[in-house]
Amino acid sequence: MPSLHTMGQQQDRRSWAEPYKIKAVEPLHMTTREQRERAIADAGYNTFLLHSRDVYIDLLTDSGTNAMSDRQWAAIMLGDEAYAGSENFYHLEKTVREVYGFKYLVPTHQGRGAENILSSTLIRPGHHVPGNMYFTTTRYHQEANGATFHDVVVDEAHDTSSDFEFKGNVDLAKLERLIDEVRADQIPYVCVAATVNMAGGQPISMDNMRAVRELTARHGIPIYLDATRAVENALFIQERDEHYAGTPIAEILKEFCSYADGATMSGKKDPLVNIGGWLSTNDPDVYEEARNLVVVYEGLHTYGGMAGRDMEAMAVGIRESVRDDHMKSRIGQVRYLGMLLEEWGIPFVKPIGGHGIFLDARAFYPHLDQEQFPAQTLAAELYLDSGIRAMERGIVSAGRDPVTGEHRRPKLELTRLTIPRRVYTQAHMDVVAEAVKECFDQRESVKGLRMVYEPKYLRFFQARFEPLG
Ligand SMILES: *Cc1c(COP(=O)(O)O)cnc(C)c1O
């Protein structure tokens, strides 16, 4: 059993530490229990509706919450805010080409902008899109353009007790069966996420990606990556596939991307900025159509909803994100929190994924029905206890089936503690672990929630609840 302080580098006896020091600080807000009771009631027991000034440690998401480096802040001053042909666009395009290997780049305001354009470009009504588990905005855009989404992730991804090392893998038999059933010409592309967010930040192996490429190539089906956390995925490949043990993350990433035809990217994750995204492709026809569509939804094809300075900061952030020392410390912090929870027997998804700890809310509250929203309840309880903000990833996030109108009942009912990149210290992780332990100790007295307001689209963002009992 490695000690808490060495698990970032299991073979090394010395502690790991962040590969940076802190140059600017931002004060945190502390609240009383009474203030938190009022705040969470005002927010309809939905952590998305809290004001951030009422939050102490914010683990809602790792999206756009990154701390930028001094080099990135310096890059902000190099913004070329020309409407057309900004220098920063060409720098970003060159960076994506060199780091990810894709030929053409269409910038967007964030990842969902890229998903919208990719889906509108490739999907026609009646199409089928397979993916290794769904992501909320990704599936929304696929369905909005008339496709049916098919989950082809391996069964282990849905099993919180499985410690399979590549739970993000595509189940090749499921994919092949789907191709036989609906025919290849009805599948505009396979959507491969790396890592798989909804499974708990679980990686997909290089062998699996290569095999998906071989299978789809036989049928002439392209692959588009959801590359938001593909650099994190590359670290897992380096650690878990002995063939890549000595290979730099940057090289692993490039090989991984070489099996895809393009990617959608949320700049708010791996690329270490606060806003932005892009669609990239090697296909000149897709590029032509996407470059044309982007002017309707995002902006001209050389800014796509981003300021020049944002594109420059992203270009610098992408280079920083593929450094081995950065990625080891990023995931090392997530693992540190996980090891503390593990010592106290708290149920969460294993193995520990890339961007957070996914608490198993069903195991916290076995006495609650899924329609009493266990994961939403746990997020509210954690906030009440400590001011720590988490997010529901369960029945609320899964939404309703567009055909039957019933709740989709996902197997996974999780509360996500997502760790922002380079923002919090190890002491903050100690405080978080203690708050989760307190909620675990109080678990039997918890009664659940009922939904009193339900928005039509992506309901988890704005739904409101009331306590039961
Ligand atoms: C965040 C995210 C997106 C969407 O990106 P935005 O920048 O938030 O629009 C898509 N896929 C995955 C896996 C994500 O985590």
Side-chain angles (χ1 to χ4, degrees), residues 60-356:
L60 184 72
T61 173
D62 65 335
S63 178
T65 51
N66 301 311
M68 293 210 297
S69 67
D70 55 353
R71 310 300 141 114
Q72 288 177 287
W73 282 109
I76 290 275
M77 280 307 292
L78 302 179
D80 170 7
E81 306 306 341
Y83 189 90
S86 164
E87 192 55 27
N88 312 125
F89 166 75
Y90 297 108
H91 183 201
L92 179 61
E93 184 186 50
K94 176 168 178 278
T95 304
V96 171
R97 203 171 279 161
E98 287 176 9
V99 174
Y100 287 88
F102 299 116
K103 227 180 193 156
Y104 306 110
L105 182 79
V106 178
T108 58
H109 76 287
Q110 53 184 88
R112 68 199 69 185
E115 291 166 353
N116 177 30
I117 290 168
L118 180 69
S119 302
S120 319
T121 300
L122 291 178
I123 295 173
R124 299 291 164 262
H127 273 171
H128 298 268
V129 179
N132 51 345
M133 217 173 227
Y134 84 100
F135 184 74
T136 53
T137 57
T138 319
R139 185 178 64 190
Y140 172 82
H141 285 294
Q142 292 160 357
E143 291 178 346
N145 282 281
T148 305
F149 171 80
H150 298 268
D151 185 0
V152 294
V153 79
V154 292
D155 287 338
E156 287 90 340
H158 294 281
D159 178 1
T160 53
S161 68
S162 156
D163 56 10
F164 183 50
E165 290 200 316
F166 290 105
K167 281 181 164 182
N169 279 359
V170 171
D171 184 324
L172 296 162
K174 283 186 198 166
L175 179 57
E176 193 148 28
R177 215 174 308 129
L178 181 73
I179 296 171
D180 288 346
E181 234 173 75
V182 305
R183 300 212 330 271
D185 62 358
Q186 294 304 302
I187 301 178
Y189 61 97
V190 177
C191 179
V192 174
T195 58
V196 180
N197 189 345
M198 301 302 273
Q202 300 295 327
I204 141 166
S205 73
M206 190 74 88
D207 290 342
N208 186 249
M209 184 63 185
R210 212 179 284 121
V212 175
R213 183 52 154 190
E214 281 162 16
L215 172 60
T216 53
R218 271 191 270 127
H219 297 276
I221 304 171
I223 298 176
Y224 278 84
L225 268 183
D226 181 341
T228 52
R229 296 183 184 77
V231 190
E232 293 176 4
N233 198 84
L235 175 80
F236 287 104
I237 292 174
Q238 189 191 57
E239 288 180 342
R240 294 179 186 174
D241 182 342
E242 62 184 68
H243 183 72
Y244 292 94
T247 311
I249 285 169
E251 262 177 57
I252 297 172
L253 176 73
K254 194 114 180 234
E255 183 189 338
F256 192 86
C257 291
S258 74
Y259 302 124
D261 296 276
T264 55
M265 173 61 92
S266 170
K268 307 171 74 170
K269 321 286 171 54
D270 274 349
L272 293 168
V273 287
N274 304 116
I275 194 73
W278 41 261
L279 165 64
S280 56
T281 180
N282 292 331
D283 181 333
D285 296 331
V286 172
Y287 174 58
E288 195 53 38
E289 175 71 12
R291 195 172 93 122
N292 192 202
L293 265 180
V294 78
V295 301
V296 186
Y297 294 111
E298 310 279 324
L300 192 71
H301 62 276
T302 57
Y303 76 87
M306 279 188 281
R309 55 180 171 267
D310 295 335
M311 292 190 280
E312 191 63 24
M314 197 191 314
V316 175
I318 285 173
R319 297 273 181 201
E320 292 177 1
S321 75
V322 296
R323 290 180 54 121
D324 284 42
D325 60 354
H326 160 70
M327 198 42 80
K328 282 182 175 150
S329 129
R330 188 295 184 266
I331 292 184
Q333 194 175 42
V334 176
R335 285 179 185 158
Y336 175 77
L337 174 58
M339 298 269 299
L340 291 178
L341 298 178
E342 176 75 5
E343 285 200 336
W344 292 331
I346 289 166
F348 63 90
V349 176
K350 276 162 247 168
I352 297 168
H355 60 293

Side-chain angles (χ1 to χ4, degrees), residues 134 136 139 198 361-362 368-377 391-401 405-415 449-451 454 458-461 463 465:
Y134 84 100
T136 53
R139 185 178 64 190
M198 301 302 273
R362 282 181 197 274
L368 296 187
D369 185 83
Q370 197 170 16
E371 293 195 16
Q372 295 170 325
F373 309 111
Q376 189 80 31
T377 303
M391 180 198 293
E392 195 260 13
R393 278 301 183 222
I395 188 170
V396 185
S397 295
R400 289 183 186 271
D401 186 302
E406 296 293 312
H407 289 295
R408 290 194 252 229
R409 289 171 147 268
K411 282 195 198 131
L412 299 182
E413 181 69 26
L414 308 174
T415 303
L449 296 167
R450 68 191 168 93
M451 204 188 303
E454 180 175 355
L458 302 180
R459 62 183 184 177
F460 58 96
F461 283 127
F465 302 83

